[in-house]
Amino acid sequence: MKTNVEMNEKVKATFDSLESIGEVKVSPFFKEKVMHKIRNASEDIQATTYSWFTPKLQLATLVCVVVLNIMAFNNLQETTYDENVSSFAESYGLSTTTESTLLK
């Protein structure tokens, strides 16, 4: 039970130290200054965020996506399914060959 006594003394010492804390005098304009800084910081963040959503950037992105889709569609029409499957099988070693090898 010695640990209980030690713990109670520590708790009492903590509460005693809390009672010694006094009132802090703050400048009357402290809140206004802090709120002003917070507003300025949020305005800076909003200004940089909106620059990503300008109509010029949206149009350029749309054009890039459409061009890439057209190129991919044309490339898909030029190649056939059998060519794609055979190139996939060759690249991953899945194609079957007529050669037989003996491992020693």
Side-chain angles (χ1 to χ4, degrees), residues 21-82:
I21 296 175
E23 185 178 344
V24 177
K25 301 294 181 190
V26 181
S27 169
F29 299 108
F30 178 74
K31 180 181 175 185
E32 290 181 25
K33 290 178 185 177
V34 171
M35 295 302 289
H36 182 69
K37 287 182 181 180
I38 290 173
R39 281 189 214 108
N40 285 343
S42 66
E43 288 174 1
D44 292 342
I45 292 171
Q46 288 176 354
T48 58
T49 304
Y50 289 130
S51 68
W52 284 97
F53 300 112
T54 59
K56 290 180 182 179
L57 184 62
Q58 290 176 352
L59 183 62
T61 305
L62 180 66
V63 168
C64 289
V65 168
V66 168
V67 168
L68 286 173
N69 282 333
I70 290 172
M71 288 172 48
F73 187 72
N74 286 338
N75 190 19
L76 182 66
Q77 286 182 345
E78 292 174 2
T79 60
T80 61
Y81 177 76
D82 294 331

